[in-house]
Amino acid sequence: MLLIKEAIDAWEPGEHTGTFRGNNLALVSGKAALNLYWRNQTFSQQVRRLSAFMRRRLDAIAHQHGNRFAVRGRGMVCGFDCKTTEIAEATSHGV
């Protein structure tokens, strides 16, 4: 999601094109999602609960493999740091 202050978003039509800027449908949808999901604490509490669950599971998987790789990230955006090229290559063959 991209949030821009109106005072900064001062481009004239056709003056700027770029993929980082988003599109009107995405911006309107993002605003609607914020208004719907964050009107109370329920959604953010669920995100925190699921984030903690994911972290515990990923940590358990890393531990099962002798901590040859580490869990990195924050919240629900996390994954494994394979530490070595060999481990990274080995994991890609199983996919």
Side-chain angles (χ1 to χ4, degrees), residues 13-75:
E15 186 177 37
H16 175 76
T17 58
T19 57
F20 68 88
R21 199 159 172 211
N23 61 62
N24 290 341
L25 179 59
L27 296 173
V28 170
S29 300
K31 181 180 179 197
L34 284 173
N35 290 337
L36 175 66
Y37 292 119
W38 273 284
R39 64 180 171 223
N40 61 42
Q41 296 297 314
T42 303
F43 183 70
S44 53
Q45 288 169 349
Q46 185 177 12
V47 168
R48 282 192 292 275
R49 184 180 60 77
L50 289 173
S51 297
F53 172 78
M54 286 176 55
R55 186 60 181 234
R56 285 191 307 273
R57 291 294 298 133
L58 292 173
D59 285 336
I61 292 167
H63 181 73
Q64 285 175 338
H65 294 277
N67 292 317
R68 290 181 297 183
F69 49 90
V71 180
R72 299 276 186 256
R74 182 175 179 201

